[in-house]
Amino acid sequence: MPSTVRVAIIGAGLAGRQHAEAYATLPSTRITVVCDVDRARGEPLATQMGARYAAGVDEALGADVDAVVIALPHRDLEEAALAAAQARKHILLEKPMAAALAGADAILRACRQAGVNLMVGFVHRFRVELRAARALIAAGAIGRPVMIVDRSRSAMRGDHPGWIWRRDVAGGGNLLYTGIHGLDRMRWLLGAEFETAYARTHQTFPGADVENMVAACLTFASGATGIMALTRVHFPEQHAWDTEVYGTDGSIRIRTGVEMVCAGTRIASRQRVEQDDRFLAEAGEFVQAILEDRPPAVTGEDGRAALAAAMAIYRSAAEGKPVRLEPAAP
Ligand SMILES: NC(=O)c1ccc[n+]([C@@H]2O[C@H](COP(=O)([O-])OP(=O)(O)OC[C@H]3O[C@@H](n4cnc5c(N)ncnc54)[C@H](O)[C@@H]3O)[C@@H](O)[C@H]2O)c1
């Protein structure tokens, strides 16, 4: 078992830079490669990290790398993940995993065959307020969860890259870039699998060919119901995210980045968010799982489940009726 995990950061954009900052502070990790097709982006980050620069994924997957962090536009996630699995590198793959469900299935198969860890970048699972809520729900603090309402709203023109509004590069719109976190939050908080989706999507963003708004009703195998409202419209603040879970014996409210409030018949608690180190905590789990030779806390199957829900939402919106999620390939 190695004592240091050597990491390649693949994609030196918005997410890749946040990952690099996190991995650089972990004592058990060394960033050996930074890869980006755009030299003007990749080379300065490589220099900053004391790593070599690679212009392409194949060049990045050298003998000096044990694990990769893949943070590329959605269209490019699958090919990079398949190449990394083939080269027997452990993989932290950004959401949504792939631009289509078949891609996610191919990645799962390749990682199983190669015997490498696959973790999907659901970084919200490492937020303290979400972790507290999840622990309380799992401990029965609100009884049986019956309904979950997830509301994400962000400014139309945030600091996100322009490709997220192009179907050919992103595979979908706001749902695949941002809303997929909400789908994972719902499934993870409830500890229940999605069954069906009934949804509408709206496109009001000039120049985009994908949606910026989604309204969806989701059902879970546990009998719970989920409501998702995802908007990217005219707000002054960058982002606000609220999730509420209503159970038979209480409710939980999460204002992301602000606080978590639990009002149960037996348990009442409140947690203010003092510090957000979610990328660092996610990196720590990815590396620790490799060092301990165990699966990571967030798996490829988790990524596939959220992507299947997203695809069901798109299908429902296109067909105008409720649809069942596509089951995982055997
Ligand atoms: N977990 C989070 O909170 C979070 C936040 C933002 C983005 N993301 C995810 O991270 C991924 C990247 O998004 P982003 O916002 O950083 O995009 P970005 O456009 O800012 O960065 C992508 C980088 O990849 C490079 N690139 C493109 N194709 C490449 C290739 N084939 N090989 C090497 N480099 C290539 C681009 O030059 C660019 O620098 C997406 O999957 C996105 O959904 C996750």
Side-chain angles (χ1 to χ4, degrees), residues 9 68 101 109 135 148 157 193 210 213 216 257 300 304 312 316 330:
I9 303 288
V68 296
L101 216 41
R109 268 196 309 276
I148 184 163
R157 299 195 184 278
E193 295 301 329
V210 287
M213 297 193 236
R304 202 267 179 206
S316 170

Side-chain angles (χ1 to χ4, degrees), residues 10-19 35-38 41-42 54-57 70-77 80 94-97 121-124 160-164 176-178 180-181 278-279 282:
I10 299 183
L14 193 64
R17 286 194 299 272
Q18 283 176 281
H19 286 299
C35 165
D36 200 299
V37 281
D38 183 347
R41 271 193 177 183
V57 174
I70 303 175
L72 299 177
H74 301 165
R75 175 184 61 188
D76 302 301
L77 292 173
E94 264 304 348
K95 30 61 59 171
M97 231 183 136
F122 287 132
V123 76
H124 287 233
H160 297 116
W163 59 259
I164 73 170
L176 286 198
Y177 194 76
T178 302
I180 195 131
H181 281 301
R278 63 191 193 281
F279 275 91
E282 180 185 67

Side-chain angles (χ1 to χ4, degrees), residues 3-5 22-30 280 284 287-288 291:
S3 56
T4 301
V5 176
Y23 285 85
T25 61
L26 285 178
S28 49
T29 307
R30 197 152 56 82
L280 185 58
V287 168
Q288 210 50 40
L291 292 174

Side-chain angles (χ1 to χ4, degrees), residues 90 117 119 283-297:
H90 299 289
N117 274 5
M119 179 166 167
E285 168 58 14
F286 177 56
V287 168
Q288 210 50 40
I290 295 168
L291 292 174
E292 292 171 9
D293 195 19
R294 61 164 172 84

